[in-house]
Amino acid sequence: MSEIKIPEVELNIYTPKDPVEVKVVENYIVTKESSPNYVRHITFDVSGTELENKVRVGQSVGILPPGKNEKGRAHKLRLYSVSSPTKGENGNPHLVSTTVKRTIEELENKIYLGVASNYLADLKPGDTVKMTGPSGKRFLLPENAKDFNYLFFATGTGIAPFRGMIMELFGDGDYKNDCSLVFGCPYRTDLLYADFFEKIDSEHSNFHYLPSISRESRRPDGSKYYVQTKLEDESDLLLPILKKKNTLIYICGLKGMEYGIYMELLKMGLNEYLEIRKELPEDLNEIPLDKFKRYIKPSDRIFEEVY
Ligand code: A2P
Protein backbone atom coordinates (compact mmCIF):
# COMPACT_ATOMS: atom_id res chain seq x y z
CA MET A 1 0.00 0.00 0.00
CA SER A 2 1.16 3.58 -0.64
CA GLU A 3 2.21 5.23 2.57
CA ILE A 4 -0.61 7.36 4.03
CA LYS A 5 0.99 10.80 4.30
CA ILE A 6 -1.04 12.91 6.70
CA PRO A 7 -0.67 16.61 5.93
CA GLU A 8 0.55 19.11 8.51
CA VAL A 9 -2.19 21.55 9.45
CA GLU A 10 -2.42 24.79 11.34
CA LEU A 11 -4.66 24.61 14.38
CA ASN A 12 -6.54 27.25 16.36
CA ILE A 13 -5.13 30.34 14.68
CA TYR A 14 -8.21 32.02 16.15
CA THR A 15 -9.54 30.99 19.58
CA PRO A 16 -12.79 31.71 21.46
CA LYS A 17 -10.96 34.46 23.37
CA ASP A 18 -9.59 35.92 20.15
CA PRO A 19 -12.00 35.10 17.30
CA VAL A 20 -12.00 36.71 13.86
CA GLU A 21 -14.95 38.46 12.24
CA VAL A 22 -15.83 37.13 8.78
CA LYS A 23 -18.58 37.97 6.31
CA VAL A 24 -21.30 35.67 4.98
CA VAL A 25 -21.34 35.58 1.17
CA GLU A 26 -24.07 33.03 0.50
CA ASN A 27 -26.58 30.96 2.43
CA TYR A 28 -28.84 28.56 0.52
CA ILE A 29 -30.90 25.41 1.13
CA VAL A 30 -29.41 22.09 0.01
CA THR A 31 -32.20 19.70 0.98
CA LYS A 32 -34.36 18.57 -1.90
CA GLU A 33 -37.63 20.29 -2.77
CA SER A 34 -40.48 19.99 -0.25
CA SER A 35 -38.32 18.73 2.62
CA PRO A 36 -39.56 19.65 6.11
CA ASN A 37 -35.89 19.85 7.15
CA TYR A 38 -33.77 22.89 6.44
CA VAL A 39 -30.14 22.20 5.73
CA ARG A 40 -28.13 25.12 4.41
CA HIS A 41 -24.84 25.68 2.65
CA ILE A 42 -23.22 28.77 4.13
CA THR A 43 -20.07 30.37 2.72
CA PHE A 44 -17.85 32.85 4.56
CA ASP A 45 -15.31 35.27 3.13
CA VAL A 46 -12.14 34.95 5.21
CA SER A 47 -10.01 37.24 3.03
CA GLY A 48 -7.56 39.42 4.94
CA THR A 49 -7.55 36.97 7.86
CA GLU A 50 -5.06 34.25 8.83
CA LEU A 51 -7.64 31.66 7.78
CA GLU A 52 -7.12 32.36 4.08
CA ASN A 53 -5.55 29.27 2.48
CA LYS A 54 -5.24 27.59 5.91
CA VAL A 55 -8.48 25.64 6.25
CA ARG A 56 -8.30 22.09 4.90
CA VAL A 57 -11.26 19.91 4.05
CA GLY A 58 -11.80 17.49 6.95
CA GLN A 59 -11.24 20.30 9.45
CA SER A 60 -13.86 22.35 11.29
CA VAL A 61 -14.35 26.00 12.08
CA GLY A 62 -15.91 27.32 15.27
CA ILE A 63 -18.78 29.79 15.42
CA LEU A 64 -19.55 31.95 18.45
CA PRO A 65 -23.27 32.79 18.50
CA PRO A 66 -23.99 36.25 19.91
CA GLY A 67 -25.94 36.71 23.15
CA LYS A 68 -26.15 34.83 26.40
CA ASN A 69 -27.74 31.63 27.66
CA GLU A 70 -30.41 31.40 30.39
CA LYS A 71 -27.64 31.47 33.02
CA GLY A 72 -26.39 34.79 31.67
CA ARG A 73 -23.21 33.30 30.23
CA ALA A 74 -21.98 33.82 26.69
CA HIS A 75 -23.09 31.04 24.33
CA LYS A 76 -20.51 28.34 23.84
CA LEU A 77 -18.54 27.78 20.68
CA ARG A 78 -20.03 25.35 18.14
CA LEU A 79 -17.85 23.47 15.67
CA TYR A 80 -18.97 22.96 12.08
CA SER A 81 -17.25 20.74 9.52
CA VAL A 82 -15.94 22.51 6.48
CA SER A 83 -17.72 21.48 3.26
CA SER A 84 -15.56 23.42 0.79
CA PRO A 85 -12.43 21.86 -0.70
CA THR A 86 -8.97 22.83 0.58
CA LYS A 87 -8.57 25.14 -2.44
CA GLY A 88 -11.62 27.04 -1.20
CA GLU A 89 -15.21 27.27 -2.43
CA ASN A 90 -15.18 27.41 -6.26
CA GLY A 91 -11.38 27.48 -6.11
CA ASN A 92 -11.32 30.73 -4.11
CA PRO A 93 -8.89 30.27 -1.17
CA HIS A 94 -10.66 33.04 0.75
CA LEU A 95 -14.05 31.29 0.71
CA VAL A 96 -14.82 28.67 3.37
CA SER A 97 -18.16 26.85 3.48
CA THR A 98 -20.04 24.77 5.97
CA THR A 99 -23.30 22.80 6.09
CA VAL A 100 -25.82 23.55 8.82
CA LYS A 101 -29.11 21.90 9.76
CA ARG A 102 -31.62 23.96 11.68
CA THR A 103 -32.26 22.04 14.88
CA ILE A 104 -35.89 22.21 15.94
CA GLU A 105 -37.31 20.15 18.79
CA GLU A 106 -40.64 20.00 20.59
CA LEU A 107 -40.57 19.27 24.33
CA GLU A 108 -43.70 19.37 26.47
CA ASN A 109 -45.71 21.43 23.97
CA LYS A 110 -42.94 23.93 23.48
CA ILE A 111 -40.71 24.43 20.50
CA TYR A 112 -36.97 24.70 21.02
CA LEU A 113 -34.61 26.05 18.40
CA GLY A 114 -30.91 25.19 18.46
CA VAL A 115 -29.09 28.43 19.25
CA ALA A 116 -26.14 28.29 16.89
CA SER A 117 -27.73 26.44 13.97
CA ASN A 118 -30.71 28.82 13.80
CA TYR A 119 -28.44 31.85 14.20
CA LEU A 120 -26.39 30.66 11.24
CA ALA A 121 -29.38 29.62 9.14
CA ASP A 122 -30.91 33.11 9.52
CA LEU A 123 -27.78 34.92 8.29
CA LYS A 124 -27.87 36.93 5.07
CA PRO A 125 -25.02 37.81 2.71
CA GLY A 126 -23.14 40.76 4.24
CA ASP A 127 -23.79 39.71 7.85
CA THR A 128 -20.71 39.01 9.96
CA VAL A 129 -19.94 36.17 12.39
CA LYS A 130 -17.22 35.47 14.92
CA MET A 131 -15.15 32.51 13.80
CA THR A 132 -12.42 30.39 15.41
CA GLY A 133 -10.19 27.64 14.12
CA PRO A 134 -9.29 25.78 12.14
CA SER A 135 -9.60 22.67 14.30
CA GLY A 136 -9.16 18.94 13.74
CA LYS A 137 -6.27 16.97 12.32
CA ARG A 138 -7.59 13.40 12.28
CA PHE A 139 -10.08 13.48 9.41
CA LEU A 140 -7.92 14.76 6.58
CA LEU A 141 -7.32 13.33 3.14
CA PRO A 142 -3.71 12.13 2.82
CA GLU A 143 -1.23 14.47 1.17
CA ASN A 144 -1.00 11.85 -1.60
CA ALA A 145 -4.83 11.65 -1.75
CA LYS A 146 -5.07 10.51 -5.35
CA ASP A 147 -3.04 7.32 -4.65
CA PHE A 148 -6.00 5.82 -2.78
CA ASN A 149 -9.48 4.39 -3.32
CA TYR A 150 -12.12 5.64 -0.91
CA LEU A 151 -15.31 4.42 0.62
CA PHE A 152 -17.05 7.34 2.31
CA PHE A 153 -19.96 6.76 4.72
CA ALA A 154 -22.08 9.73 5.81
CA THR A 155 -25.38 10.30 7.56
CA GLY A 156 -27.15 13.67 7.57
CA THR A 157 -24.87 16.70 7.74
CA GLY A 158 -21.96 14.25 8.11
CA ILE A 159 -21.90 14.66 4.33
CA ALA A 160 -20.17 18.06 4.69
CA PRO A 161 -16.49 17.01 4.50
CA PHE A 162 -17.18 14.53 1.69
CA ARG A 163 -18.54 17.26 -0.58
CA GLY A 164 -15.20 19.07 -0.33
CA MET A 165 -13.15 15.87 -0.55
CA ILE A 166 -14.97 14.72 -3.68
CA MET A 167 -14.48 18.18 -5.24
CA GLU A 168 -10.80 17.85 -4.42
CA LEU A 169 -10.42 14.34 -5.87
CA PHE A 170 -12.41 14.94 -9.07
CA GLY A 171 -11.71 18.64 -9.63
CA ASP A 172 -8.59 18.31 -11.79
CA GLY A 173 -9.64 15.33 -13.91
CA ASP A 174 -6.57 13.25 -13.00
CA TYR A 175 -7.96 11.00 -10.25
CA LYS A 176 -7.68 7.43 -11.51
CA ASN A 177 -8.57 5.38 -8.42
CA ASP A 178 -12.10 4.66 -7.21
CA CYS A 179 -14.38 6.52 -4.81
CA SER A 180 -17.82 5.57 -3.50
CA LEU A 181 -20.06 7.71 -1.33
CA VAL A 182 -22.72 6.01 0.79
CA PHE A 183 -25.13 8.60 2.17
CA GLY A 184 -27.83 7.72 4.67
CA CYS A 185 -30.93 9.78 5.41
CA PRO A 186 -34.56 9.10 6.36
CA TYR A 187 -36.39 10.23 3.19
CA ARG A 188 -35.45 11.14 -0.38
CA THR A 189 -36.25 14.77 0.40
CA ASP A 190 -33.36 14.75 2.92
CA LEU A 191 -30.71 14.00 0.30
CA LEU A 192 -28.04 16.72 0.52
CA TYR A 193 -26.10 18.15 -2.43
CA ALA A 194 -27.75 15.40 -4.50
CA ASP A 195 -27.47 17.26 -7.82
CA PHE A 196 -23.72 17.64 -7.35
CA PHE A 197 -23.12 13.98 -6.46
CA GLU A 198 -25.40 12.76 -9.27
CA LYS A 199 -23.44 14.90 -11.73
CA ILE A 200 -20.06 13.55 -10.60
CA ASP A 201 -21.49 10.02 -10.76
CA SER A 202 -22.70 10.54 -14.35
CA GLU A 203 -19.43 12.10 -15.48
CA HIS A 204 -16.93 9.74 -13.80
CA SER A 205 -17.08 5.96 -14.04
CA ASN A 206 -14.80 5.80 -10.96
CA PHE A 207 -17.31 7.59 -8.70
CA HIS A 208 -20.35 5.84 -7.24
CA TYR A 209 -23.11 7.70 -5.43
CA LEU A 210 -25.01 5.27 -3.22
CA PRO A 211 -27.85 6.90 -1.26
CA SER A 212 -29.43 4.75 1.44
CA ILE A 213 -32.94 5.85 2.37
CA SER A 214 -34.03 4.38 5.69
CA ARG A 215 -37.74 5.11 6.06
CA GLU A 216 -39.32 4.66 2.64
CA SER A 217 -38.95 0.91 2.22
CA ARG A 218 -37.38 -2.15 3.84
CA ARG A 219 -34.79 -4.65 2.71
CA PRO A 220 -36.14 -8.10 1.80
CA ASP A 221 -35.27 -9.37 5.32
CA GLY A 222 -37.29 -6.54 6.91
CA SER A 223 -34.27 -4.53 8.11
CA LYS A 224 -33.76 -0.85 7.35
CA TYR A 225 -31.65 0.47 4.52
CA TYR A 226 -28.76 1.83 6.57
CA VAL A 227 -25.37 2.90 5.23
CA GLN A 228 -23.75 -0.34 6.44
CA THR A 229 -26.28 -2.48 4.58
CA LYS A 230 -24.83 -1.12 1.31
CA LEU A 231 -21.71 -3.19 2.03
CA GLU A 232 -23.83 -6.31 1.52
CA ASP A 233 -26.31 -4.96 -1.04
CA GLU A 234 -23.57 -3.46 -3.26
CA SER A 235 -20.91 -6.08 -2.55
CA ASP A 236 -20.30 -6.78 -6.26
CA LEU A 237 -19.10 -3.20 -6.59
CA LEU A 238 -17.58 -2.61 -3.15
CA LEU A 239 -15.90 -5.89 -2.17
CA PRO A 240 -13.26 -5.89 -4.96
CA ILE A 241 -12.40 -2.27 -4.09
CA LEU A 242 -12.26 -2.97 -0.35
CA LYS A 243 -9.92 -5.89 -0.98
CA LYS A 244 -7.37 -3.58 -2.60
CA LYS A 245 -4.49 -2.58 -0.36
CA ASN A 246 -4.78 1.12 -1.18
CA THR A 247 -8.39 1.60 -0.05
CA LEU A 248 -9.36 3.83 2.88
CA ILE A 249 -12.71 4.14 4.67
CA TYR A 250 -14.00 7.45 6.04
CA ILE A 251 -17.04 7.64 8.35
CA CYS A 252 -18.80 10.89 9.29
CA GLY A 253 -22.10 11.38 11.10
CA LEU A 254 -24.07 9.31 13.62
CA LYS A 255 -22.02 7.34 16.12
CA GLY A 256 -24.32 4.36 15.63
CA MET A 257 -22.79 3.78 12.20
CA GLU A 258 -19.50 2.57 13.67
CA TYR A 259 -20.82 -0.69 15.10
CA GLY A 260 -22.86 -1.44 12.01
CA ILE A 261 -19.97 -0.83 9.62
CA TYR A 262 -17.39 -2.74 11.71
CA MET A 263 -19.73 -5.72 11.99
CA GLU A 264 -20.32 -5.81 8.22
CA LEU A 265 -16.58 -5.57 7.58
CA LEU A 266 -15.96 -8.52 9.91
CA LYS A 267 -18.73 -10.55 8.29
CA MET A 268 -17.15 -9.88 4.88
CA GLY A 269 -13.74 -11.02 6.16
CA LEU A 270 -12.27 -7.53 5.75
CA ASN A 271 -10.44 -7.66 9.10
CA GLU A 272 -7.56 -5.55 7.76
CA TYR A 273 -9.66 -2.43 8.39
CA LEU A 274 -9.90 -3.28 12.08
CA GLU A 275 -7.67 -3.96 15.02
CA ILE A 276 -8.89 -7.04 16.84
CA ARG A 277 -8.32 -6.50 20.57
CA LYS A 278 -9.97 -9.56 22.05
CA GLU A 279 -10.79 -12.99 20.65
CA LEU A 280 -13.96 -12.74 18.58
CA PRO A 281 -16.88 -15.09 19.32
CA GLU A 282 -17.62 -17.67 16.60
CA ASP A 283 -21.02 -16.04 16.09
CA LEU A 284 -20.11 -12.40 15.41
CA ASN A 285 -23.63 -11.33 16.39
CA GLU A 286 -22.62 -12.08 20.00
CA ILE A 287 -20.32 -9.01 19.97
CA PRO A 288 -22.35 -6.67 22.22
CA LEU A 289 -23.42 -3.30 20.84
CA ASP A 290 -22.55 -1.52 24.10
CA LYS A 291 -19.09 -3.11 24.49
CA PHE A 292 -17.93 -3.69 20.93
CA LYS A 293 -14.90 -1.43 21.38
CA ARG A 294 -13.44 -4.04 23.73
CA TYR A 295 -13.28 -6.35 20.72
CA ILE A 296 -12.63 -4.15 17.71
CA LYS A 297 -11.04 -0.81 16.97
CA PRO A 298 -10.54 0.89 13.63
CA SER A 299 -7.11 0.32 12.05
CA ASP A 300 -5.18 3.17 10.43
CA ARG A 301 -7.22 2.58 7.25
CA ILE A 302 -10.42 3.95 8.86
CA PHE A 303 -10.92 7.66 9.56
CA GLU A 304 -13.85 8.74 11.69
CA GLU A 305 -15.72 11.81 12.79
CA VAL A 306 -18.79 10.60 14.67
CA TYR A 307 -21.06 12.23 17.21
P1 A2P B 1 -33.60 6.15 10.95
O1 A2P B 1 -33.70 7.46 11.67
O2 A2P B 1 -34.68 5.94 9.94
O3 A2P B 1 -33.47 4.98 11.88
P2 A2P B 1 -30.50 12.40 9.65
O4 A2P B 1 -29.25 12.87 10.32
O5 A2P B 1 -30.86 13.20 8.44
O6 A2P B 1 -31.64 12.18 10.58
O7 A2P B 1 -30.14 10.95 9.05
C1 A2P B 1 -29.59 9.93 9.81
C2 A2P B 1 -29.77 8.61 9.06
O8 A2P B 1 -29.02 7.58 9.73
C3 A2P B 1 -31.21 8.14 9.06
O9 A2P B 1 -31.49 7.53 7.84
C4 A2P B 1 -31.23 7.15 10.22
O10 A2P B 1 -32.23 6.17 10.09
C5 A2P B 1 -29.88 6.50 10.03
N1 A2P B 1 -29.43 5.76 11.22
C6 A2P B 1 -29.93 5.78 12.49
N2 A2P B 1 -29.26 4.93 13.30
C7 A2P B 1 -28.31 4.36 12.55
C8 A2P B 1 -27.30 3.38 12.82
N3 A2P B 1 -27.15 2.81 14.01
N4 A2P B 1 -26.50 3.01 11.79
C9 A2P B 1 -26.65 3.56 10.57
N5 A2P B 1 -27.58 4.48 10.25
C10 A2P B 1 -28.40 4.88 11.22
Side-chain angles (χ1 to χ4, degrees), residues 101 155-157 184-186 212 214-215 224 226-228 254 256-257:
K101 179 179 185 177
T155 54
T157 51
C185 62
S212 193
S214 60
R215 296 192 198 167
K224 278 185 158 182
Y226 275 170
V227 286
Q228 57 269 31
L254 283 183
M257 274 191 291

Side-chain angles (χ1 to χ4, degrees), residues 25-283:
V25 293
E26 60 180 359
N27 183 345
Y28 60 85
I29 289 204
V30 290
T31 14
K32 283 225 159 184
E33 70 284 350
S34 73
S35 173
N37 295 310
Y38 305 102
V39 180
R40 293 182 156 269
H41 182 75
I42 309 179
T43 304
F44 303 96
D45 183 349
V46 301
S47 51
T49 77
E50 293 288 317
L51 292 177
E52 195 168 342
N53 244 326
K54 296 277 168 53
V55 183
R56 284 194 88 99
V57 67
Q59 290 194 291
S60 303
V61 289
I63 300 289
L64 286 162
K68 300 206 159 122
N69 64 19
E70 63 282 359
K71 290 182 183 148
R73 295 200 194 111
H75 287 301
K76 279 201 197 112
L77 175 84
R78 275 24 175 236
L79 290 178
Y80 289 93
S81 289
V82 166
S83 50
S84 44
T86 299
K87 284 183 186 163
E89 184 74 350
N90 301 319
N92 296 303
H94 63 284
L95 296 182
V96 175
S97 307
T98 187
T99 310
V100 179
K101 179 179 185 177
R102 275 190 194 273
T103 42
I104 303 171
E105 259 188 287
E106 195 194 89
L107 285 173
E108 293 170 359
N109 291 49
K110 268 196 87 173
I111 196 93
Y112 290 90
L113 302 178
V115 171
S117 68
N118 284 283
Y119 161 66
L120 284 169
D122 286 350
L123 292 170
K124 307 261 178 324
D127 289 343
T128 57
V129 302
K130 287 189 172 144
M131 186 175 273
T132 69
S135 56
K137 56 178 183 177
R138 296 185 200 287
F139 200 71
L140 307 168
L141 281 181
E143 197 97 66
N144 48 341
K146 290 180 183 167
D147 291 350
F148 298 93
N149 303 301
Y150 296 94
L151 178 52
F152 294 150
F153 288 101
T155 54
T157 51
I159 195 77
F162 298 131
R163 172 186 182 267
M165 289 178 181
I166 288 161
M167 286 179 163
E168 204 147 308
L169 291 171
F170 290 92
D172 302 327
D174 61 353
Y175 176 60
K176 299 282 180 276
N177 281 304
D178 199 280
C179 175
S180 299
L181 169 68
V182 183
F183 175 62
C185 62
Y187 300 100
R188 260 169 297 175
T189 50
D190 300 309
L191 289 168
L192 302 177
Y193 301 113
D195 295 345
F196 167 67
F197 296 124
E198 281 163 10
K199 184 165 180 285
I200 300 285
D201 186 297
S202 69
E203 289 174 353
H204 300 270
S205 57
N206 56 340
F207 179 71
H208 318 282
Y209 177 47
L210 306 170
S212 193
I213 313 287
S214 60
R215 296 192 198 167
E216 292 188 9
S217 57
R218 294 272 172 157
R219 297 171 74 233
D221 69 0
S223 63
K224 278 185 158 182
Y225 284 101
Y226 275 170
V227 286
Q228 57 269 31
T229 60
K230 281 280 179 223
L231 283 166
E232 191 184 331
D233 299 344
E234 294 285 345
S235 66
D236 288 352
L237 168 72
L238 299 176
L239 188 58
I241 298 166
L242 285 166
K243 281 188 173 161
K244 291 189 181 167
K245 298 240 175 303
N246 62 332
T247 301
L248 305 176
I249 295 179
Y250 282 61
I251 302 172
C252 187
L254 283 183
K255 209 170 172 39
M257 274 191 291
E258 278 181 302
Y259 176 81
I261 293 170
Y262 297 175
M263 290 296 283
E264 276 307 316
L265 290 171
L266 284 179
K267 286 179 190 168
M268 293 168 90
L270 295 162
N271 293 20
E272 60 271 32
Y273 290 90
L274 299 163
E275 209 179 281
I276 313 292
R277 311 175 82 190
K278 186 174 166 174
E279 197 185 335
L280 299 175
E282 209 159 297
D283 178 359

